[in-house]
């Protein structure tokens, strides 16, 4: 109860401190929620500096601002993450190679072989073929390219 009375006694400064603590928590546990709650607490402090609000109204202002700011974050900011990009395959290296024709550096034996792609050697799965055969990438399974024999 002593902490509660200390919080009430310092009024707006308490909200400012809570806001800074929440912003600090956002640095250690990122995700976005603590950021918006911290902003709501700092705005509550600003309102409390201007208006002499009693304790329940301060909680109401913080609750309303916190709810509105988190809903804003969920609705507006997070939805922008699904924007189209000019490089949709950037982080999916295997899918980038689907459709390419490559030369086997090692034979495919028992369904597995290797093929150089740029400066990387990829494992491939497909029908048994000798080294030097031309193959076409038709899919992938994790870091293994699925290939078929390419026509000459």
């Amino acid at each position: 109860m002593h902490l509660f009375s200390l919080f009430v006694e310092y009024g707006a400064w308490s909200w400012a401190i809570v806001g800074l603590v929440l912003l600090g928590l956002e640095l250690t546990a990122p995700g976005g929620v603590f950021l918006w709650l911290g902003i709501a607490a700092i705005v509550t402090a600003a309102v409390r500096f201007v208006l002499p609000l009693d304790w329940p109204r301060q909680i109401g202002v913080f609750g309303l601002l916190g709810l509105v700011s988190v809903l804003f974050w969920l609705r507006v900011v997070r939805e922008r993450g699904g924007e189209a990009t000019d490089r949709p395959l950037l982080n999916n290296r295997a899918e980038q190679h689907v459709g390419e024709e490559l030369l086997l550096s090692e034979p495919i034996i028992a369904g597995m072989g290797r093929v150089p792609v740029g400066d990387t050697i990829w494992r491939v799965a497909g029908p048994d073929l000798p080294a030097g055969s031309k193959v076409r990438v038709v899919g992938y399974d994790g870091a293994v390219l699925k290939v078929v024999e390419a026509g000459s």
Side-chain angles (χ1 to χ4, degrees):
M1 200 63 181
H2 179 64
L3 184 61
F4 179 74
S5 62
L6 188 64
F7 198 85
V8 172
E9 181 180 335
Y10 287 106
W13 289 108
S14 299
W15 285 109
I17 291 169
V18 166
L20 293 174
V21 167
L22 288 168
L23 292 175
L25 279 173
E26 181 64 30
L27 292 174
T28 59
V33 175
F34 291 127
L35 170 72
W36 293 103
L37 291 177
I39 291 170
I42 290 172
V43 171
T44 302
V47 169
R48 176 62 180 88
F49 276 124
V50 175
L51 301 172
L53 298 175
D54 60 351
W55 180 247
R57 287 195 174 104
Q58 291 177 44
I59 296 270
V61 168
F62 173 70
L64 182 65
L65 288 172
L67 182 65
V68 168
S69 64
V70 169
L71 288 176
F72 167 78
W73 171 65
L74 290 172
R75 190 59 91 172
V76 176
V77 175
R78 278 190 137 186
E79 284 182 2
R80 277 195 269 164
E83 291 179 5
T85 176
D86 61 339
R87 298 183 69 187
L89 303 177
L90 179 64
N91 291 322
N92 193 344
R93 292 183 56 208
E95 191 171 344
Q96 292 176 11
H97 301 298
V98 173
E100 286 185 21
E101 290 191 1
L102 308 165
L103 290 176
L104 290 174
S105 62
E106 296 179 14
I108 297 178
I109 300 173
M112 297 300 292
R114 295 182 187 272
V115 62
V117 181
D119 61 351
T120 306
I121 304 291
W122 284 79
R123 291 186 332 145
V124 294
D128 290 355
L129 295 168
S133 298
K134 188 182 262 189
V135 294
R136 185 171 16 92
V137 179
V138 293
Y140 61 94
D141 182 17
V144 177
L145 301 176
K146 294 181 179 182
V147 297
V148 295
E149 186 172 14
S152 302

